[in-house]
Amino acid sequence: PMSDRVSFLGDVDARELPALYAASSGFVLPSVAASETFGVVQLEAMAARRPLVVSRASEGVASVHAGAESALLVAPGDAMALREAMLRVRDDRELGTRLVAAADTLIADRYSLDDRLADLEALLYEATGRSTAA
């Protein structure tokens, strides 16, 4: 039965997440809501080096992977496509390795702390009407 392989844990303390990611063989974000935004949980799973299967519920969710092959993306609400993508990741270790490698590159290129801080600094300068630090 599926219950031997899948656990729905509900709310989990953030301190427990690294161990849970480490115990998993992959990560699935089956969101169907167009209101779903960025989905930071995707970055957490990529940082844990887990292959991702993600529903394209919104541009925000899909934008995390824009231009990269760091996840298998499926249409929201398409249970068969979600199933097939999950099986592909489970059965094709080479695919999982490629997804993880692409995610490593994506995180390094697009989501580093230095880059995020520079973006935040630029937004703050824009908001205050200044172009550089005083």
Side-chain angles (χ1 to χ4, degrees):
M2 182 189 261
S3 62
D4 293 344
R5 297 181 306 266
V6 177
S7 298
F8 293 98
L9 303 177
D11 289 333
V12 174
D13 189 291
R15 294 172 294 206
E16 296 177 44
L17 290 176
L20 291 172
Y21 282 121
S24 70
S25 56
F27 178 82
V28 180
L29 181 65
S31 181
V32 295
S35 61
E36 179 85 44
T37 58
F38 184 79
V40 171
V41 68
Q42 296 177 86
L43 296 181
E44 293 172 347
M46 288 189 291
R49 306 196 84 240
R50 294 297 173 250
L52 275 67
V53 174
V54 177
S55 173
R56 276 185 235 147
S58 72
E59 286 303 312
V61 169
S63 72
V64 172
H65 307 281
E69 295 185 16
S70 51
L72 292 184
L73 300 174
V74 299
D78 188 339
M80 290 307 294
L82 185 67
R83 177 186 184 276
E84 290 303 315
M86 290 168 59
L87 291 173
R88 281 184 61 204
V89 169
R90 182 196 71 186
D91 296 338
D92 186 344
R93 288 191 182 269
E94 186 176 307
L95 171 63
T97 299
R98 285 194 315 269
L99 292 171
V100 167
D104 287 347
T105 300
L106 181 67
I107 287 173
D109 290 349
R110 201 180 301 168
Y111 298 109
S112 73
L113 179 58
D114 288 343
D115 289 341
R116 299 291 57 89
L117 289 174
D119 289 348
L120 177 60
E121 183 178 49
L123 285 171
L124 291 172
Y125 287 141
E126 181 181 329
T128 59
R130 295 176 14 202
S131 60
T132 60

